[in-house]
Amino acid sequence: METLMAFVVGGLFAAAIYMMLRRSIVKLVIGLILLSNGANLLLFTQAGMLRGAPPLVPLGATQPEGVVADPLAQALILTAIVIGFGVLAFAVVLIHRAYEVVEADDMDQMKDTDT
Amino acid sequence: MRPEVALPVVLPLLFGAISLALWRYRTAQRVIGVLGTGTLLAAAVWLLLATWRDGVLVMHMGNWQAPFGIVLVSDLLGAIMVVLAAISGLATAVYSLTAISKRHEHYGYYPLLHLLLAGVNGAFLTGDIFNMYVWFEVMLVASFALLILGGERAQMEGAIKYVTLNLVSSAIFLSGIGLLYGLTGTLNMADIADKLADVEDTGLITVIAMMFLVSFGIKAGAFPFFFWLPASYHTPQVAVSALFAALLTKVGVYALFRVFTLIFTQDVGYTHEILLWVAGATMLTGVLGAAAQYEFRRILSFHIISQIGYMIMGLALFTPLALVGGVFYIMHHIIVKANLFLVSGLVYRLKGTYELKELGGMYRSHPILGLLFLVPALSLAGIPPLSGFFAKFILIRAGVEAESWWIVFVALLVGLLTLYSMIKIWAEVFWKAQPEEHANRPAPGPKGTGVMYGTIAVMAAMTVFIGFGAQPIYLIAEQAAHQLLDPQIYIDAVLGDRS
Amino acid sequence: MTRELNIQSLILRSASQLLLPLLLMFSIFLLLRGHDEPGGGFIAGLVAASAIALHMFAQDIHQAKRVLYADPRDLVGWGLVFGVISGVPAIFKGQAFFTSQWLEFTMPILGKIKVGTPLIFDIGVYLVVVGSVLLILLTLAEAED
């Protein structure tokens, strides 16, 4: 399962970079979304994947029975997803405003501040 | 328990929240802006004194013990950075009283300012690598919003580059955290450093180290990841530019200092050699980029990059003296760079343009401003007895002792070229006569510039003070470097003495 | 650019009238049960925000603003104030910031009730989430108008 996920993460990163190298700003944002999801999935996979072992403590006990999945990684990606959601919502508002100001969906039209 | 460790993070959050809740009342926001950053400065100085007296201070948030809970750690480097952040925050808040228009204030300038400071201080003080990521994002969201405040075309274009590169950097940072967590099973930086000592696969550690280098390098504006910085830093309100120039890249530099002294010290010969090359290339490209520019703020933006190179050089040489130099350089740079941007804002206020070609004759009309510009400008170039001289002197001496001759040569050359850039600004803005056709440009006018003059004068006085009072500053930097070079001090303070 | 945001669907419009109070009450329920059981300020805030968003789609922006009553920016601001304040009481007891403080008392009908600082924090989170989600939505919706 981890090997498969490694390929999925790699595929997501590759797709993200491809999308970001396009000239359209909409595709740029799609690339950023894929990139942040790739990073989240990597974080998730790193903690080890365990099937059907939720980290629940039985009533009255002080620790879970047997081997359970790592809950910390899940808490981390939950945080990362929420942050990613907030930042990407901002990015969407930004490209909307940029589109209104520049009137083009083309990075090549946005070189005024580079030179 | 030491409440002072949490205060520099909590205070700006609290003042930011109050400021946001009172977003309808402009005067209240302005008062809270100055009051809040002033209180923050007092809290930061308290923290620095406490850290100086009692060593590394630790606070376990919510009383969850390390390494399981999130800790805030204040070692000397962190405390110094917090004080500098508070100084530049207060200077910006005071300067903004007249520099920021009503319209911008209405869009939430002051709450964002507080939020940015909270994010920056959180990143300086946290002892948990994932928590550092969270603070980075807090800081970024605040900086995104500050960057596009006003919504002009150039701001949008600059913001797209800034946002994209910083999101890429965050994704790489997060991936690095993931790999590190997979390797050690912990997020507490002290615990990571402790556990990595037992990991045999040093190759993988070096790979993770390089991911962190790329991620923080983007944030710091190091070669070859710097190009977003000159494309965006000159677009926002000048008070915002000053704050960004002072703090944002330095958070990246701080993070590099933290991870490359605490966590990734297994293969110094490899990682720090790369850092040294990065440092040299950063210095050189930054200063050469500045030489080609004729816009006040763009020249200053490129100089941020070249100065970042000096700080990384201090880290890369990795000798006690070099680290002292690096820390000293950060202290000097934050004050000087913020001040230069404030000067450029005042020039714009009086003349209505940032283009060097269109400016001129300022020394004749505003001699005091000319002198106030010379202090930070000559300090940046490293003229004795100003602060920049001692910062460069320590670094170059460290380079000579390490017998790393080429970096010494680059550092000296870049110092010379910096002087050239500063003299260029001096000659174009202050000395030459203003071209006739631009003499009557519409400018916002001199109303309320007293506050701006005051801020610039106080910052210039600080530069002079660091220069003449270099000995106590050197002692603080030396102690900070001592803590950095012996990670065991940090680890023991966080995890308790377990031997 | 004038585009009608509201969808002229009788079913959606009538259903949203009934769903709005239900969803808002459900969000309060989630908020209050959140400490020991699944729920909490974040998810409750999302439920409340989506309830108002649904109302916005079914009716129009002005209706949604009327239901929300407060300005989203106020909600974010006061939510943050609540969140930060919840950490302060611990300092006066000499404990680390954000250490939970609990009060226990018995009420006639409800029985034993435990109230603590995490509840204040959750209310803060709730307000911030509702405020920020609706701030984004309303900004985008108004830009379309």
Side-chain angles (χ1 to χ4, degrees):
Chain A
M1 197 65 183
E2 272 92 348
T3 320
L4 177 65
M5 279 300 157
F7 279 105
V8 174
V9 171
L12 277 172
F13 271 103
I17 289 167
Y18 176 72
M19 286 307 253
M20 283 196 292
L21 293 178
R22 305 287 292 271
R23 280 192 304 196
S24 154
I25 26 177
V26 176
K27 285 175 183 144
L28 172 72
V29 169
I30 295 174
L32 288 175
I33 293 171
L34 290 178
L35 193 67
S36 81
N37 282 333
N40 288 341
L41 196 60
L42 177 67
L43 190 56
F44 185 61
T45 314
Q46 269 297 315
M49 306 196 89
L50 212 59
R51 210 188 165 114
L56 297 176
V57 183
L59 212 60
T62 52
Q63 58 184 35
E65 290 164 357
V67 181
V68 295
D70 185 354
L72 184 61
Q74 300 175 14
L76 295 186
I77 60 163
L78 184 61
T79 315
I81 287 171
V82 170
I83 292 175
F85 162 74
V87 175
L88 287 169
F90 176 84
V92 171
V93 175
L94 174 70
I95 63 158
H96 184 263
R97 294 267 294 278
Y99 174 74
E100 280 178 349
V101 177
V102 184
E103 293 178 340
D105 176 33
D106 186 354
M107 290 302 279
D108 278 3
Q109 308 274 322
M110 300 194 176
K111 292 194 290 198
D112 286 0
T113 62
D114 282 350
T115 47
Chain B
M1 265 309 150
R2 311 296 299 245
E4 58 263 48
V5 183
L7 277 183
V9 185
V10 175
L11 282 176
L13 270 182
L14 185 64
F15 284 112
I18 296 172
S19 181
L20 188 59
L22 300 174
W23 64 274
R24 286 193 187 82
Y25 310 103
R26 178 163 167 257
T27 317
Q29 286 197 17
R30 291 157 65 95
V31 171
I32 293 170
V34 176
L35 195 73
T37 45
T39 321
L40 176 63
L41 181 56
V45 171
W46 181 23
L47 177 65
L48 180 60
L49 291 177
T51 312
W52 175 252
R53 210 177 42 234
D54 301 340
V56 180
L57 300 179
V58 180
M59 181 176 216
H60 304 271
M61 294 298 275
N63 220 6
W64 299 97
Q65 294 302 311
F68 305 110
I70 291 172
V71 287
L72 291 183
V73 187
S74 163
D75 69 341
L76 264 177
L77 177 64
I80 290 167
M81 299 303 286
V82 167
V83 171
L84 292 167
I87 290 173
S88 35
L90 180 60
T92 313
V94 174
Y95 189 85
S96 304
L97 289 178
T98 54
I100 297 289
S101 73
K102 233 180 206 164
R103 187 168 68 92
H104 293 104
E105 284 178 330
H106 182 72
Y107 283 131
Y109 172 75
Y110 287 106
L112 288 169
L113 185 69
H114 290 294
L115 193 65
L116 184 77
L117 286 173
V120 168
N121 284 342
F124 288 153
L125 288 179
T126 186
D128 181 287
I129 193 100
F130 189 79
N131 195 234
M132 191 191 250
Y133 165 77
V134 173
W135 288 121
F136 266 63
E137 298 301 296
V138 169
M139 181 183 91
L140 281 182
V141 169
S143 66
F144 293 164
L146 280 173
L147 194 62
I148 59 162
L149 209 68
E152 283 159 32
R153 175 177 175 148
Q155 287 181 302
M156 293 298 163
E157 292 186 13
I160 284 182
K161 288 151 203 163
Y162 178 83
V163 168
T164 309
L165 262 294
N166 276 292
L167 286 184
V168 170
S169 150
S170 295
I172 297 172
F173 186 15
L174 195 59
S175 308
I177 292 174
L179 293 174
L180 211 49
Y181 180 68
L183 212 56
T184 60
T186 177
L187 291 165
N188 185 298
M189 289 198 276
D191 205 23
I192 290 174
D194 204 35
K195 292 229 166 78
L196 274 188
D198 305 328
V199 174
E200 282 163 17
D201 190 359
T202 51
L204 186 56
I205 299 177
T206 309
V207 171
I208 301 173
M210 288 303 109
M211 289 178 80
F212 277 87
L213 174 62
V214 171
S215 164
F216 296 147
I218 292 176
K219 306 237 184 237
F223 182 88
F225 316 111
F226 60 84
F227 41 83
W228 59 271
L229 195 152
S232 62
Y233 266 28
H234 65 286
T235 58
Q237 297 288 309
V238 72
V240 175
S241 291
L243 194 63
F244 281 16
L247 292 182
L248 293 194
T249 46
K250 256 56 72 187
V251 177
V253 173
Y254 165 82
L256 282 175
F257 267 71
R258 180 60 75 218
V259 298
F260 280 97
T261 56
L262 181 64
I263 300 177
F264 302 117
T265 49
Q266 288 79 17
D267 195 0
V268 176
Y270 180 77
T271 52
H272 289 63
E273 179 70 20
I274 291 181
L275 275 173
L276 196 61
W277 283 98
V278 167
T282 308
M283 279 189 243
L284 213 53
T285 44
V287 85
L288 290 179
Q293 295 296 326
Y294 273 92
E295 209 263 25
F296 206 143
R297 290 176 302 172
R298 293 188 63 106
I299 296 177
L300 297 181
S301 300
F302 271 105
H303 275 295
I304 298 175
I305 299 167
S306 80
Q307 309 284 309
I308 294 292
Y310 282 101
M311 297 167 207
I312 299 178
M313 171 186 163
L315 172 65
L317 289 172
F318 209 58
T319 61
L321 190 64
L323 281 172
V324 175
V327 175
F328 198 113
Y329 210 101
I330 295 175
M331 291 197 242
H332 134 77
H333 172 82
I334 288 182
I335 309 271
V336 164
K337 188 51 94 184
N339 202 8
L340 282 171
F341 269 96
L342 298 181
V343 170
S344 79
L346 186 47
V347 169
Y348 179 78
R349 186 68 173 245
L350 296 168
K351 290 288 183 183
T353 179
Y354 288 109
E355 292 295 332
L356 296 192
K357 297 274 186 209
E358 298 171 7
L359 286 162
M362 292 281 291
Y363 184 66
R364 187 178 289 267
S365 56
H366 302 87
I368 298 174
L369 182 60
L371 293 177
L372 285 178
F373 167 76
L374 273 187
V375 172
L378 294 181
S379 175
L380 193 74
I383 303 292
L386 297 162
S387 59
F389 168 72
F390 293 100
K392 283 199 172 67
F393 178 72
I394 299 169
L395 276 176
I396 286 167
R397 169 110 193 252
V400 170
E401 279 179 13
E403 294 183 355
S404 200
W405 301 112
W406 69 271
I407 196 85
V408 171
F409 173 72
V410 170
L412 287 170
L413 180 71
V414 170
L416 211 59
L417 288 171
T418 309
L419 187 61
Y420 159 71
S421 258
M422 289 302 124
I423 287 174
K424 181 172 84 180
I425 297 180
W426 168 257
E428 294 277 340
V429 177
F430 293 94
W431 204 243
K432 76 163 198 252
Q434 191 171 20
E436 286 291 329
E437 65 268 31
H438 300 295
N440 294 318
R441 267 187 101 88
K447 190 169 161 281
T449 44
V451 178
M452 296 168 141
Y453 269 113
T455 320
I456 292 168
V458 171
M459 297 285 268
M462 260 187 263
T463 309
V464 176
F465 170 76
I466 295 178
F468 280 104
Q471 186 61 25
I473 309 278
Y474 179 84
L475 285 179
I476 296 176
E478 191 180 32
Q479 193 63 28
H482 169 69
Q483 289 181 355
L484 286 178
L485 266 184
D486 187 2
Q488 208 56 41
I489 299 175
Y490 187 94
I491 296 171
D492 286 345
V494 175
L495 299 178
D497 208 354
R498 289 168 305 173
S499 54
Chain C
M1 194 159 51
T2 51
R3 199 191 306 162
E4 282 296 304
L5 187 74
N6 53 340
I7 307 146
Q8 297 295 338
S9 156
L10 188 64
I11 300 174
L12 186 61
R13 290 183 69 142
S14 337
S16 83
Q17 296 282 8
L18 290 173
L19 277 174
L20 181 71
L22 211 61
L23 281 171
L24 287 179
M25 277 197 294
F26 181 57
S27 79
I28 303 281
F29 166 73
L30 278 177
L31 170 67
L32 292 179
R33 92 194 273 262
H35 190 65
D36 291 330
E37 285 169 278
F42 184 77
I43 191 75
L46 281 182
V47 169
S50 50
I52 292 172
L54 179 69
H55 199 66
M56 185 176 88
F57 291 133
Q59 316 282 336
D60 59 21
I61 302 174
H62 308 291
Q63 285 288 328
K65 277 189 172 166
R66 209 174 54 81
V67 170
L68 187 61
Y69 191 71
D71 192 290
R73 275 175 279 192
D74 282 329
L75 292 180
V76 178
W78 288 110
L80 275 175
V81 173
F82 271 103
V84 179
I85 281 180
S86 71
V88 176
I91 285 186
F92 293 112
K93 289 180 77 176
Q95 290 164 325
F97 198 70
F98 274 124
T99 309
S100 308
Q101 309 295 321
W102 292 98
L103 271 179
E104 238 180 24
F105 50 87
T106 339
M107 292 259 282
I109 304 163
L110 298 167
K112 207 160 71 171
I113 288 187
K114 246 174 119 182
V115 180
T117 49
L119 180 65
I120 304 176
F121 186 78
D122 257 356
I123 293 173
V125 171
Y126 179 82
L127 292 175
V128 171
V129 171
V130 174
S132 47
V133 170
L134 288 175
L135 188 60
I136 294 168
L137 275 179
L138 290 177
T139 311
L140 282 175
E142 275 171 353
E144 288 285 309
D145 266 0

